[in-house]
PDB file of all heavy atoms in Angstrom:
ATOM      1  N   SER A   1      65.844  40.109   4.979  1.00 96.00           N
ATOM      2  CA  SER A   1      66.739  40.221   3.846  1.00 96.00           C
ATOM      3  C   SER A   1      68.041  40.924   4.182  1.00 96.00           C
ATOM      4  O   SER A   1      68.049  42.002   4.796  1.00 96.00           O
ATOM      5  CB  SER A   1      66.068  40.992   2.716  1.00 96.00           C
ATOM      6  OG  SER A   1      65.043  40.273   2.099  1.00 96.00           O
ATOM      7  N   GLY A   2      69.169  40.343   3.793  1.00 97.00           N
ATOM      8  CA  GLY A   2      70.457  40.874   4.055  1.00 97.00           C
ATOM      9  C   GLY A   2      71.087  40.284   5.317  1.00 97.00           C
ATOM     10  O   GLY A   2      72.287  40.475   5.555  1.00 97.00           O
ATOM     11  N   GLY A   3      70.280  39.606   6.118  1.00 98.00           N
ATOM     12  CA  GLY A   3      70.866  39.021   7.353  1.00 98.00           C
ATOM     13  C   GLY A   3      71.597  37.729   7.031  1.00 98.00           C
ATOM     14  O   GLY A   3      71.509  37.163   5.967  1.00 98.00           O
ATOM     15  N   PRO A   4      72.385  37.233   7.972  1.00 97.00           N
ATOM     16  CA  PRO A   4      73.171  36.028   7.717  1.00 97.00           C
ATOM     17  C   PRO A   4      72.417  34.691   7.931  1.00 97.00           C
ATOM     18  O   PRO A   4      71.533  34.629   8.763  1.00 97.00           O
ATOM     19  CB  PRO A   4      74.327  36.189   8.714  1.00 97.00           C
ATOM     20  CG  PRO A   4      73.630  36.806   9.921  1.00 97.00           C
ATOM     21  CD  PRO A   4      72.584  37.751   9.294  1.00 97.00           C
ATOM     22  N   LEU A   5      72.792  33.726   7.176  1.00 97.00           N
ATOM     23  CA  LEU A   5      72.441  32.308   7.430  1.00 97.00           C
ATOM     24  C   LEU A   5      73.664  31.609   7.962  1.00 97.00           C
ATOM     25  O   LEU A   5      74.721  31.566   7.347  1.00 97.00           O
ATOM     26  CB  LEU A   5      71.962  31.675   6.131  1.00 97.00           C
ATOM     27  CG  LEU A   5      71.433  30.237   6.278  1.00 97.00           C
ATOM     28  CD1 LEU A   5      70.057  30.211   6.936  1.00 97.00           C
ATOM     29  CD2 LEU A   5      71.393  29.552   4.921  1.00 97.00           C
ATOM     30  N   LEU A   6      73.527  31.119   9.196  1.00 96.00           N
ATOM     31  CA  LEU A   6      74.688  30.545   9.896  1.00 96.00           C
ATOM     32  C   LEU A   6      74.695  29.052   9.952  1.00 96.00           C
ATOM     33  O   LEU A   6      73.631  28.416  10.005  1.00 96.00           O
ATOM     34  CB  LEU A   6      74.724  31.096  11.355  1.00 96.00           C
ATOM     35  CG  LEU A   6      74.721  32.606  11.562  1.00 96.00           C
ATOM     36  CD1 LEU A   6      74.614  32.947  13.054  1.00 96.00           C
ATOM     37  CD2 LEU A   6      75.921  33.179  10.941  1.00 96.00           C
ATOM     38  N   ASN A   7      75.846  28.441   9.948  1.00 94.00           N
ATOM     39  CA  ASN A   7      75.918  27.008  10.176  1.00 94.00           C
ATOM     40  C   ASN A   7      76.237  26.752  11.658  1.00 94.00           C
ATOM     41  O   ASN A   7      76.233  27.687  12.481  1.00 94.00           O
ATOM     42  CB  ASN A   7      77.041  26.389   9.267  1.00 94.00           C
ATOM     43  CG  ASN A   7      78.478  26.969   9.533  1.00 94.00           C
ATOM     44  OD1 ASN A   7      78.704  27.534  10.578  1.00 94.00           O
ATOM     45  ND2 ASN A   7      79.328  26.715   8.631  1.00 94.00           N
ATOM     46  N   SER A   8      76.458  25.468  12.024  1.00 88.00           N
ATOM     47  CA  SER A   8      76.597  25.164  13.400  1.00 88.00           C
ATOM     48  C   SER A   8      77.919  25.661  14.047  1.00 88.00           C
ATOM     49  O   SER A   8      78.086  25.640  15.256  1.00 88.00           O
ATOM     50  CB  SER A   8      76.542  23.592  13.572  1.00 88.00           C
ATOM     51  OG  SER A   8      77.571  22.966  12.770  1.00 88.00           O
ATOM     52  N   ASP A   9      78.803  26.142  13.157  1.00 90.00           N
ATOM     53  CA  ASP A   9      80.055  26.726  13.683  1.00 90.00           C
ATOM     54  C   ASP A   9      79.939  28.255  13.838  1.00 90.00           C
ATOM     55  O   ASP A   9      80.912  28.913  14.172  1.00 90.00           O
ATOM     56  CB  ASP A   9      81.230  26.397  12.802  1.00 90.00           C
ATOM     57  CG  ASP A   9      81.605  24.897  12.787  1.00 90.00           C
ATOM     58  OD1 ASP A   9      81.496  24.311  13.863  1.00 90.00           O
ATOM     59  OD2 ASP A   9      81.885  24.404  11.739  1.00 90.00           O
ATOM     60  N   GLY A  10      78.735  28.801  13.540  1.00 92.00           N
ATOM     61  CA  GLY A  10      78.614  30.244  13.615  1.00 92.00           C
ATOM     62  C   GLY A  10      79.133  30.936  12.428  1.00 92.00           C
ATOM     63  O   GLY A  10      79.205  32.187  12.420  1.00 92.00           O
ATOM     64  N   GLU A  11      79.505  30.231  11.350  1.00 95.00           N
ATOM     65  CA  GLU A  11      79.970  30.908  10.149  1.00 95.00           C
ATOM     66  C   GLU A  11      78.834  31.214   9.228  1.00 95.00           C
ATOM     67  O   GLU A  11      77.793  30.543   9.203  1.00 95.00           O
ATOM     68  CB  GLU A  11      80.940  29.955   9.395  1.00 95.00           C
ATOM     69  CG  GLU A  11      82.165  29.548  10.146  1.00 95.00           C
ATOM     70  CD  GLU A  11      83.061  28.515   9.446  1.00 95.00           C
ATOM     71  OE1 GLU A  11      82.450  27.674   8.724  1.00 95.00           O
ATOM     72  OE2 GLU A  11      84.240  28.536   9.635  1.00 95.00           O
ATOM     73  N   VAL A  12      79.013  32.224   8.437  1.00 97.00           N
ATOM     74  CA  VAL A  12      77.966  32.653   7.487  1.00 97.00           C
ATOM     75  C   VAL A  12      78.097  31.809   6.214  1.00 97.00           C
ATOM     76  O   VAL A  12      79.087  31.873   5.523  1.00 97.00           O
ATOM     77  CB  VAL A  12      78.073  34.134   7.156  1.00 97.00           C
ATOM     78  CG1 VAL A  12      76.989  34.539   6.216  1.00 97.00           C
ATOM     79  CG2 VAL A  12      78.125  35.046   8.394  1.00 97.00           C
ATOM     80  N   VAL A  13      76.992  31.113   5.926  1.00 97.00           N
ATOM     81  CA  VAL A  13      77.040  30.268   4.668  1.00 97.00           C
ATOM     82  C   VAL A  13      76.185  30.995   3.624  1.00 97.00           C
ATOM     83  O   VAL A  13      76.252  30.621   2.447  1.00 97.00           O
ATOM     84  CB  VAL A  13      76.411  28.896   4.921  1.00 97.00           C
ATOM     85  CG1 VAL A  13      77.345  28.032   5.824  1.00 97.00           C
ATOM     86  CG2 VAL A  13      75.007  28.907   5.493  1.00 97.00           C
ATOM     87  N   GLY A  14      75.398  32.023   4.007  1.00 97.00           N
ATOM     88  CA  GLY A  14      74.589  32.672   2.992  1.00 97.00           C
ATOM     89  C   GLY A  14      74.031  34.034   3.496  1.00 97.00           C
ATOM     90  O   GLY A  14      74.055  34.336   4.680  1.00 97.00           O
ATOM     91  N   ILE A  15      73.603  34.863   2.523  1.00 97.00           N
ATOM     92  CA  ILE A  15      72.894  36.071   2.776  1.00 97.00           C
ATOM     93  C   ILE A  15      71.439  35.833   2.487  1.00 97.00           C
ATOM     94  O   ILE A  15      71.084  35.430   1.372  1.00 97.00           O
ATOM     95  CB  ILE A  15      73.437  37.226   1.921  1.00 97.00           C
ATOM     96  CG1 ILE A  15      74.919  37.491   2.195  1.00 97.00           C
ATOM     97  CG2 ILE A  15      72.636  38.529   2.210  1.00 97.00           C
ATOM     98  CD1 ILE A  15      75.511  38.565   1.289  1.00 97.00           C
ATOM     99  N   ASN A  16      70.550  36.053   3.422  1.00 97.00           N
ATOM    100  CA  ASN A  16      69.111  35.743   3.271  1.00 97.00           C
ATOM    101  C   ASN A  16      68.519  36.719   2.248  1.00 97.00           C
ATOM    102  O   ASN A  16      68.657  37.937   2.433  1.00 97.00           O
ATOM    103  CB  ASN A  16      68.381  35.785   4.551  1.00 97.00           C
ATOM    104  CG  ASN A  16      68.971  34.790   5.563  1.00 97.00           C
ATOM    105  OD1 ASN A  16      69.317  33.665   5.185  1.00 97.00           O
ATOM    106  ND2 ASN A  16      69.085  35.188   6.805  1.00 97.00           N
ATOM    107  N   VAL A  17      67.846  36.182   1.201  1.00 96.00           N
ATOM    108  CA  VAL A  17      67.354  37.083   0.146  1.00 96.00           C
ATOM    109  C   VAL A  17      65.837  36.901  -0.200  1.00 96.00           C
ATOM    110  O   VAL A  17      65.186  37.873  -0.575  1.00 96.00           O
ATOM    111  CB  VAL A  17      68.194  36.976  -1.105  1.00 96.00           C
ATOM    112  CG1 VAL A  17      69.584  37.508  -0.909  1.00 96.00           C
ATOM    113  CG2 VAL A  17      68.257  35.537  -1.600  1.00 96.00           C
ATOM    114  N   LEU A  18      65.270  35.716  -0.075  1.00 89.00           N
ATOM    115  CA  LEU A  18      63.990  35.474  -0.604  1.00 89.00           C
ATOM    116  C   LEU A  18      63.120  34.519   0.254  1.00 89.00           C
ATOM    117  O   LEU A  18      63.605  33.719   0.958  1.00 89.00           O
ATOM    118  CB  LEU A  18      64.098  34.804  -1.976  1.00 89.00           C
ATOM    119  CG  LEU A  18      64.704  35.596  -3.136  1.00 89.00           C
ATOM    120  CD1 LEU A  18      64.902  34.676  -4.343  1.00 89.00           C
ATOM    121  CD2 LEU A  18      63.791  36.707  -3.503  1.00 89.00           C
ATOM    122  N   LYS A  19      61.799  34.787   0.132  1.00 83.00           N
ATOM    123  CA  LYS A  19      60.797  33.822   0.685  1.00 83.00           C
ATOM    124  C   LYS A  19      59.847  33.522  -0.465  1.00 83.00           C
ATOM    125  O   LYS A  19      59.331  34.388  -1.163  1.00 83.00           O
ATOM    126  CB  LYS A  19      60.039  34.492   1.832  1.00 83.00           C
ATOM    127  CG  LYS A  19      58.931  33.594   2.422  1.00 83.00           C
ATOM    128  CD  LYS A  19      58.170  34.358   3.518  1.00 83.00           C
ATOM    129  CE  LYS A  19      57.061  33.515   4.075  1.00 83.00           C
ATOM    130  NZ  LYS A  19      57.498  32.336   4.712  1.00 83.00           N
ATOM    131  N   GLN A  20      59.575  32.222  -0.642  1.00 79.00           N
ATOM    132  CA  GLN A  20      58.633  31.815  -1.720  1.00 79.00           C
ATOM    133  C   GLN A  20      57.235  32.070  -1.200  1.00 79.00           C
ATOM    134  O   GLN A  20      56.742  31.354  -0.330  1.00 79.00           O
ATOM    135  CB  GLN A  20      58.822  30.325  -2.015  1.00 79.00           C
ATOM    136  CG  GLN A  20      57.914  29.766  -3.110  1.00 79.00           C
ATOM    137  CD  GLN A  20      58.211  30.371  -4.459  1.00 79.00           C
ATOM    138  OE1 GLN A  20      59.364  30.317  -4.952  1.00 79.00           O
ATOM    139  NE2 GLN A  20      57.240  31.012  -5.063  1.00 79.00           N
ATOM    140  N   HIS A  21      56.583  32.991  -1.803  1.00 71.00           N
ATOM    141  CA  HIS A  21      55.174  33.309  -1.397  1.00 71.00           C
ATOM    142  C   HIS A  21      54.259  32.207  -1.913  1.00 71.00           C
ATOM    143  O   HIS A  21      54.384  31.651  -2.980  1.00 71.00           O
ATOM    144  CB  HIS A  21      54.771  34.646  -1.987  1.00 71.00           C
ATOM    145  CG  HIS A  21      55.472  35.843  -1.397  1.00 71.00           C
ATOM    146  ND1 HIS A  21      55.313  36.227  -0.093  1.00 71.00           N
ATOM    147  CD2 HIS A  21      56.432  36.632  -1.924  1.00 71.00           C
ATOM    148  CE1 HIS A  21      56.106  37.245   0.159  1.00 71.00           C
ATOM    149  NE2 HIS A  21      56.805  37.483  -0.911  1.00 71.00           N
ATOM    150  N   GLY A  22      53.265  31.931  -1.125  1.00 67.00           N
ATOM    151  CA  GLY A  22      52.260  30.921  -1.428  1.00 67.00           C
ATOM    152  C   GLY A  22      52.780  29.463  -1.103  1.00 67.00           C
ATOM    153  O   GLY A  22      52.095  28.517  -1.480  1.00 67.00           O
ATOM    154  N   ALA A  23      53.893  29.360  -0.378  1.00 65.00           N
ATOM    155  CA  ALA A  23      54.416  28.060  -0.062  1.00 65.00           C
ATOM    156  C   ALA A  23      54.927  28.138   1.385  1.00 65.00           C
ATOM    157  O   ALA A  23      55.191  29.155   1.935  1.00 65.00           O
ATOM    158  CB  ALA A  23      55.551  27.651  -1.001  1.00 65.00           C
ATOM    159  N   ASP A  24      54.957  26.982   1.993  1.00 70.00           N
ATOM    160  CA  ASP A  24      55.398  26.861   3.367  1.00 70.00           C
ATOM    161  C   ASP A  24      56.822  26.379   3.409  1.00 70.00           C
ATOM    162  O   ASP A  24      57.220  25.444   2.712  1.00 70.00           O
ATOM    163  CB  ASP A  24      54.544  25.929   4.168  1.00 70.00           C
ATOM    164  CG  ASP A  24      53.115  26.429   4.402  1.00 70.00           C
ATOM    165  OD1 ASP A  24      52.970  27.671   4.462  1.00 70.00           O
ATOM    166  OD2 ASP A  24      52.180  25.573   4.412  1.00 70.00           O
ATOM    167  N   ASP A  25      57.650  27.012   4.285  1.00 73.00           N
ATOM    168  CA  ASP A  25      59.035  26.539   4.507  1.00 73.00           C
ATOM    169  C   ASP A  25      59.902  26.497   3.315  1.00 73.00           C
ATOM    170  O   ASP A  25      60.735  25.638   3.128  1.00 73.00           O
ATOM    171  CB  ASP A  25      58.992  25.185   5.240  1.00 73.00           C
ATOM    172  CG  ASP A  25      58.411  25.257   6.589  1.00 73.00           C
ATOM    173  OD1 ASP A  25      58.515  26.324   7.232  1.00 73.00           O
ATOM    174  OD2 ASP A  25      57.801  24.258   7.082  1.00 73.00           O
ATOM    175  N   ILE A  26      59.733  27.448   2.406  1.00 86.00           N
ATOM    176  CA  ILE A  26      60.632  27.546   1.284  1.00 86.00           C
ATOM    177  C   ILE A  26      61.226  28.946   1.302  1.00 86.00           C
ATOM    178  O   ILE A  26      60.601  29.897   0.876  1.00 86.00           O
ATOM    179  CB  ILE A  26      59.948  27.274  -0.046  1.00 86.00           C
ATOM    180  CG1 ILE A  26      59.446  25.851  -0.095  1.00 86.00           C
ATOM    181  CG2 ILE A  26      60.954  27.502  -1.262  1.00 86.00           C
ATOM    182  CD1 ILE A  26      58.694  25.458  -1.384  1.00 86.00           C
ATOM    183  N   GLN A  27      62.407  29.047   1.815  1.00 91.00           N
ATOM    184  CA  GLN A  27      63.159  30.330   1.870  1.00 91.00           C
ATOM    185  C   GLN A  27      64.515  30.138   1.176  1.00 91.00           C
ATOM    186  O   GLN A  27      65.005  29.021   1.130  1.00 91.00           O
ATOM    187  CB  GLN A  27      63.362  30.802   3.345  1.00 91.00           C
ATOM    188  CG  GLN A  27      62.105  31.309   3.956  1.00 91.00           C
ATOM    189  CD  GLN A  27      61.155  30.232   4.501  1.00 91.00           C
ATOM    190  OE1 GLN A  27      59.984  30.341   4.397  1.00 91.00           O
ATOM    191  NE2 GLN A  27      61.745  29.127   5.044  1.00 91.00           N
ATOM    192  N   MET A  28      65.134  31.237   0.791  1.00 95.00           N
ATOM    193  CA  MET A  28      66.333  31.143  -0.001  1.00 95.00           C
ATOM    194  C   MET A  28      67.440  32.098   0.457  1.00 95.00           C
ATOM    195  O   MET A  28      67.154  33.211   0.858  1.00 95.00           O
ATOM    196  CB  MET A  28      66.053  31.306  -1.506  1.00 95.00           C
ATOM    197  CG  MET A  28      65.019  30.249  -2.052  1.00 95.00           C
ATOM    198  SD  MET A  28      64.745  30.441  -3.783  1.00 95.00           S
ATOM    199  CE  MET A  28      63.209  29.411  -3.963  1.00 95.00           C
ATOM    200  N   SER A  29      68.665  31.617   0.349  1.00 96.00           N
ATOM    201  CA  SER A  29      69.769  32.415   0.729  1.00 96.00           C
ATOM    202  C   SER A  29      70.882  32.355  -0.306  1.00 96.00           C
ATOM    203  O   SER A  29      71.109  31.272  -0.921  1.00 96.00           O
ATOM    204  CB  SER A  29      70.350  31.816   2.026  1.00 96.00           C
ATOM    205  OG  SER A  29      71.362  32.619   2.599  1.00 96.00           O
ATOM    206  N   LEU A  30      71.553  33.486  -0.584  1.00 96.00           N
ATOM    207  CA  LEU A  30      72.597  33.570  -1.523  1.00 96.00           C
ATOM    208  C   LEU A  30      73.921  33.038  -0.914  1.00 96.00           C
ATOM    209  O   LEU A  30      74.368  33.595   0.156  1.00 96.00           O
ATOM    210  CB  LEU A  30      72.754  35.011  -1.970  1.00 96.00           C
ATOM    211  CG  LEU A  30      73.958  35.355  -2.941  1.00 96.00           C
ATOM    212  CD1 LEU A  30      73.699  34.693  -4.327  1.00 96.00           C
ATOM    213  CD2 LEU A  30      74.150  36.843  -3.065  1.00 96.00           C
ATOM    214  N   SER A  31      74.502  32.071  -1.444  1.00 95.00           N
ATOM    215  CA  SER A  31      75.727  31.470  -0.914  1.00 95.00           C
ATOM    216  C   SER A  31      76.853  32.466  -0.791  1.00 95.00           C
ATOM    217  O   SER A  31      77.110  33.194  -1.822  1.00 95.00           O
ATOM    218  CB  SER A  31      76.110  30.237  -1.754  1.00 95.00           C
ATOM    219  OG  SER A  31      77.421  29.869  -1.386  1.00 95.00           O
ATOM    220  N   THR A  32      77.518  32.473   0.268  1.00 93.00           N
ATOM    221  CA  THR A  32      78.707  33.401   0.446  1.00 93.00           C
ATOM    222  C   THR A  32      79.862  32.935  -0.480  1.00 93.00           C
ATOM    223  O   THR A  32      80.707  33.789  -0.774  1.00 93.00           O
ATOM    224  CB  THR A  32      79.231  33.385   1.897  1.00 93.00           C
ATOM    225  OG1 THR A  32      79.410  32.014   2.354  1.00 93.00           O
ATOM    226  CG2 THR A  32      78.210  34.034   2.801  1.00 93.00           C
ATOM    227  N   LEU A  33      79.880  31.714  -0.895  1.00 92.00           N
ATOM    228  CA  LEU A  33      80.853  31.284  -1.874  1.00 92.00           C
ATOM    229  C   LEU A  33      80.819  32.105  -3.177  1.00 92.00           C
ATOM    230  O   LEU A  33      81.840  32.248  -3.842  1.00 92.00           O
ATOM    231  CB  LEU A  33      80.765  29.806  -2.237  1.00 92.00           C
ATOM    232  CG  LEU A  33      81.189  28.828  -1.147  1.00 92.00           C
ATOM    233  CD1 LEU A  33      81.053  27.356  -1.659  1.00 92.00           C
ATOM    234  CD2 LEU A  33      82.604  29.094  -0.695  1.00 92.00           C
ATOM    235  N   GLN A  34      79.614  32.619  -3.481  1.00 91.00           N
ATOM    236  CA  GLN A  34      79.471  33.345  -4.715  1.00 91.00           C
ATOM    237  C   GLN A  34      80.015  34.823  -4.611  1.00 91.00           C
ATOM    238  O   GLN A  34      80.137  35.499  -5.673  1.00 91.00           O
ATOM    239  CB  GLN A  34      77.974  33.409  -5.109  1.00 91.00           C
ATOM    240  CG  GLN A  34      77.414  32.032  -5.449  1.00 91.00           C
ATOM    241  CD  GLN A  34      76.002  32.185  -6.004  1.00 91.00           C
ATOM    242  OE1 GLN A  34      75.713  33.111  -6.698  1.00 91.00           O
ATOM    243  NE2 GLN A  34      75.131  31.232  -5.643  1.00 91.00           N
ATOM    244  N   ILE A  35      80.290  35.279  -3.458  1.00 90.00           N
ATOM    245  CA  ILE A  35      80.637  36.683  -3.280  1.00 90.00           C
ATOM    246  C   ILE A  35      82.030  36.819  -2.530  1.00 90.00           C
ATOM    247  O   ILE A  35      82.561  37.864  -2.564  1.00 90.00           O
ATOM    248  CB  ILE A  35      79.625  37.503  -2.460  1.00 90.00           C
ATOM    249  CG1 ILE A  35      79.401  36.895  -1.083  1.00 90.00           C
ATOM    250  CG2 ILE A  35      78.280  37.513  -3.218  1.00 90.00           C
ATOM    251  CD1 ILE A  35      78.572  37.750  -0.191  1.00 90.00           C
ATOM    252  N   ILE A  36      82.477  35.715  -1.972  1.00 90.00           N
ATOM    253  CA  ILE A  36      83.721  35.876  -1.084  1.00 90.00           C
ATOM    254  C   ILE A  36      84.916  36.380  -1.918  1.00 90.00           C
ATOM    255  O   ILE A  36      85.757  37.108  -1.425  1.00 90.00           O
ATOM    256  CB  ILE A  36      84.004  34.530  -0.446  1.00 90.00           C
ATOM    257  CG1 ILE A  36      84.908  34.702   0.725  1.00 90.00           C
ATOM    258  CG2 ILE A  36      84.579  33.515  -1.413  1.00 90.00           C
ATOM    259  CD1 ILE A  36      85.019  33.463   1.680  1.00 90.00           C
ATOM    260  N   GLU A  37      84.984  35.980  -3.208  1.00 83.00           N
ATOM    261  CA  GLU A  37      86.163  36.461  -3.997  1.00 83.00           C
ATOM    262  C   GLU A  37      85.994  37.977  -4.457  1.00 83.00           C
ATOM    263  O   GLU A  37      86.942  38.539  -4.889  1.00 83.00           O
ATOM    264  CB  GLU A  37      86.299  35.567  -5.206  1.00 83.00           C
ATOM    265  CG  GLU A  37      86.656  34.095  -4.940  1.00 83.00           C
ATOM    266  CD  GLU A  37      86.926  33.284  -6.144  1.00 83.00           C
ATOM    267  OE1 GLU A  37      86.638  33.784  -7.235  1.00 83.00           O
ATOM    268  OE2 GLU A  37      87.301  32.071  -6.021  1.00 83.00           O
ATOM    269  N   LEU A  38      84.753  38.428  -4.353  1.00 87.00           N
ATOM    270  CA  LEU A  38      84.484  39.823  -4.738  1.00 87.00           C
ATOM    271  C   LEU A  38      84.782  40.800  -3.595  1.00 87.00           C
ATOM    272  O   LEU A  38      84.808  42.052  -3.811  1.00 87.00           O
ATOM    273  CB  LEU A  38      83.044  40.007  -5.216  1.00 87.00           C
ATOM    274  CG  LEU A  38      82.667  39.139  -6.415  1.00 87.00           C
ATOM    275  CD1 LEU A  38      81.193  39.297  -6.664  1.00 87.00           C
ATOM    276  CD2 LEU A  38      83.459  39.497  -7.656  1.00 87.00           C
TER     277      LEU A  38
END
């Protein structure tokens, strides 16, 4: 949590925040577009 999600250019597209418990391969990241203006 709090680490970066990177695209192929090494840019941060999200801040990692959640893992869906009880499920496989469902993780979630907060888009940097939502915070960049702040």
